[in-house]
Amino acid sequence: TLKEALTSGGSDTLIVNGQPKHVVGYMKDFLFTPEQAGTAVGKLSGGERGRLALARALALPSNVMVLDEPTNDLDMETLELLEDLFADYDGTLILVSHDRDFIDRLATSTLALDGKGHAAETPGGWVDFIRQNPDFFADISQKEAKKIAEKPISAPPPKTPAKKLSYKDQKRLDDLNLLMPKWSTEIKRLEAVLDDATLYSRDPKRFEATMKALETTRADLENGEMEWLELEEKRESLA
């Protein structure tokens, strides 16, 4: 099942970046619903299998990841998820790809092979490489090479206007919906502790620690509410 594939068994949690995480929460990060936890992997669509492979790979501790044609057979939703996740990856990505737009969005260095034993490396993505090596590939027409060479260096790759929140923003919004009630509950708990008029005289260290915790949690809630409001307004404007 999907749950077993992510946890290497039937556990409810897995370790991600050194921290335990509930499998259902991790599934949501990769656009799966809680109801899919018991779905057999063999019944997943091609895009869902791609997201599952991505989820399993990113759950492993690593500082280098090698991806061979990672965009093949992916739907647009999964492709956007892939770009967002890899843009935030802290390690080194080695991408083997024919997807020029994908390379332009992620690559900081491009190494090209011409099939004849020659290799060349250029900082940046595909457009940067062709601009500096217009004759490197025999199958690149002069017209295409000229068009790329004349493209302004500062011009970003074309991108379809967003119609919904990015994966990163949506995940943060979902997280805030869970965190804000927890912060509110914690504030009430800490305030209840401080309602004890004898606390300071009995245990001044606990009093100070509780005061600091209350101040921090109140700040977290205030900042979280402001961030939530901004994301909600952004989501509504896109919708």
Side-chain angles (χ1 to χ4, degrees):
T1 66
L2 179 58
K3 176 182 176 180
E4 291 169 339
L6 286 172
T7 60
S8 299
S11 175
D12 288 331
T13 61
L14 69 163
I15 303 299
V16 181
N17 295 325
Q19 299 295 325
K21 187 160 189 176
H22 196 278
V23 65
V24 173
Y26 192 61
M27 282 170 49
K28 289 181 179 180
D29 291 347
F30 293 86
L31 312 179
F32 292 107
T33 64
E35 293 74 22
Q36 289 180 285
T39 301
V41 172
K43 293 184 178 181
L44 298 177
S45 67
E48 288 171 335
R49 291 187 188 187
R51 295 202 301 273
L52 172 59
L54 180 61
R56 293 182 66 180
L58 290 175
L60 298 174
S62 69
N63 56 13
V64 177
M65 190 174 294
V66 183
L67 301 129
D68 185 8
E69 298 291 358
T71 62
N72 280 4
D73 303 319
L74 295 185
D75 53 53
M76 287 303 300
E77 193 173 33
T78 304
L79 183 57
E80 291 177 3
L81 170 66
L82 189 72
E83 290 183 358
D84 285 340
L85 289 172
F86 288 150
D88 293 335
Y89 183 64
D90 290 332
T92 298
L93 289 174
I94 301 175
L95 305 172
V96 181
S97 179
H98 288 83
D99 188 330
R100 302 175 185 184
D101 185 62
F102 187 71
I103 295 172
D104 273 329
R105 294 183 191 283
L106 291 177
T108 56
S109 177
T110 298
L111 175 65
L113 311 174
D114 68 353
K116 301 176 182 178
H118 303 109
E121 185 273 335
T122 298
W126 166 259
V127 169
D128 298 303
F129 182 89
I130 293 301
R131 184 185 293 117
Q132 297 182 49
N133 304 274
D135 301 320
F136 186 75
F137 294 104
D139 60 345
I140 296 295
S141 67
Q142 292 183 352
K143 183 178 180 180
E144 181 182 358
K146 182 179 179 181
K147 182 179 179 181
I148 293 175
E150 293 174 350
K151 186 176 181 180
I153 294 177
S154 59
K159 191 170 185 178
T160 303
K163 296 181 180 179
K164 61 180 182 178
L165 290 177
S166 68
Y167 164 80
K168 189 174 182 179
D169 283 346
Q170 184 61 56
K171 183 178 183 303
R172 181 56 178 166
L173 185 60
D174 293 340
D175 288 344
L176 287 170
N177 282 326
L178 296 175
L179 286 170
M180 289 190 297
K182 292 181 180 179
W183 285 327
S184 296
T185 300
E186 179 65 6
I187 287 172
K188 291 180 181 178
R189 187 190 70 81
L190 293 169
E191 288 176 338
V193 172
L194 293 173
D195 283 342
D196 181 357
T198 66
L199 177 62
Y200 181 77
S201 58
R202 289 189 297 102
D203 194 342
K205 287 186 178 180
R206 186 186 178 194
F207 176 84
E208 290 295 333
T210 304
M211 286 291 293
K212 288 181 180 179
L214 180 60
E215 181 181 353
T216 299
T217 309
R218 282 174 173 169
D220 287 340
L221 179 59
E222 182 179 355
N223 293 332
E225 288 175 337
M226 292 179 62
E227 188 179 1
W228 180 89
L229 183 59
E230 291 175 357
L231 289 172
E232 272 294 325
E233 290 177 346
K234 183 178 180 180
R235 183 183 65 79
E236 291 178 2
S237 68
L238 291 173

